[in-house]
Amino acid sequence: MKNAFIQTACLMLLLISSNVAAMRYIEDAYEVLNLRISMETPDTGSVEVRKCETCPLFELEITPETKFYKADTEISLAVATKYNGMEGVVLQDTTTKKVTRIIIY
């Protein structure tokens, strides 16, 4: 019985470690203290973020697929621009480098 438990535990560790090695980040998150969202068209625009408090600002692309949330309610890009200056989180796809979601606190 003890031998079967040890074999099962080893198998579980092997499976877990192989899954951890295959994990990858799909989104980068930027915590923003002062949102700066701008619209170029009704469904595209940009948002300014920085990687650290003293790092320079840079722009990320907002596309028609970008979702906006005020707390847990989905809103439009036009409504989201009304919350400029507030705190939030900007999430960016690591592959396409486009903004996937903006969550406003």
Side-chain angles (χ1 to χ4, degrees):
M1 181 73 166
K2 184 178 177 182
N3 194 23
F5 175 75
I6 291 173
Q7 288 177 343
T8 303
C10 288
L11 179 60
M12 294 296 282
L13 278 173
L14 181 63
L15 290 172
I16 290 170
S17 65
S18 66
N19 285 337
V20 170
M23 287 176 38
R24 66 177 180 87
Y25 290 104
I26 57 171
E27 287 182 312
D28 282 328
Y30 301 91
E31 186 136 11
V32 180
L33 299 176
N34 184 8
L35 272 173
R36 293 182 184 173
I37 301 170
S38 60
M39 286 176 51
E40 294 168 12
T41 69
D43 58 359
T44 64
S46 62
V47 61
E48 291 182 345
V49 298
R50 53 175 97 222
K51 290 188 182 265
C52 69
E53 206 171 294
T54 58
C55 295
L57 284 170
F58 62 97
E59 287 187 350
L60 298 178
E61 181 182 359
I62 293 173
T63 67
E65 291 78 31
T66 303
K67 303 288 184 195
F68 302 88
Y69 298 92
K70 174 64 174 127
D72 59 353
T73 303
E74 190 170 349
I75 59 175
S76 67
L77 171 57
V79 172
T81 61
K82 295 178 182 178
Y83 293 104
N84 278 339
M86 295 190 67
E87 295 180 11
V89 175
V90 176
L91 294 119
Q92 174 192 37
D93 185 296
T94 58
T95 306
T96 65
K97 301 298 183 195
K98 294 178 182 171
V99 176
T100 55
R101 293 175 284 156
I102 297 178
I103 303 166
I104 303 163
Y105 296 142

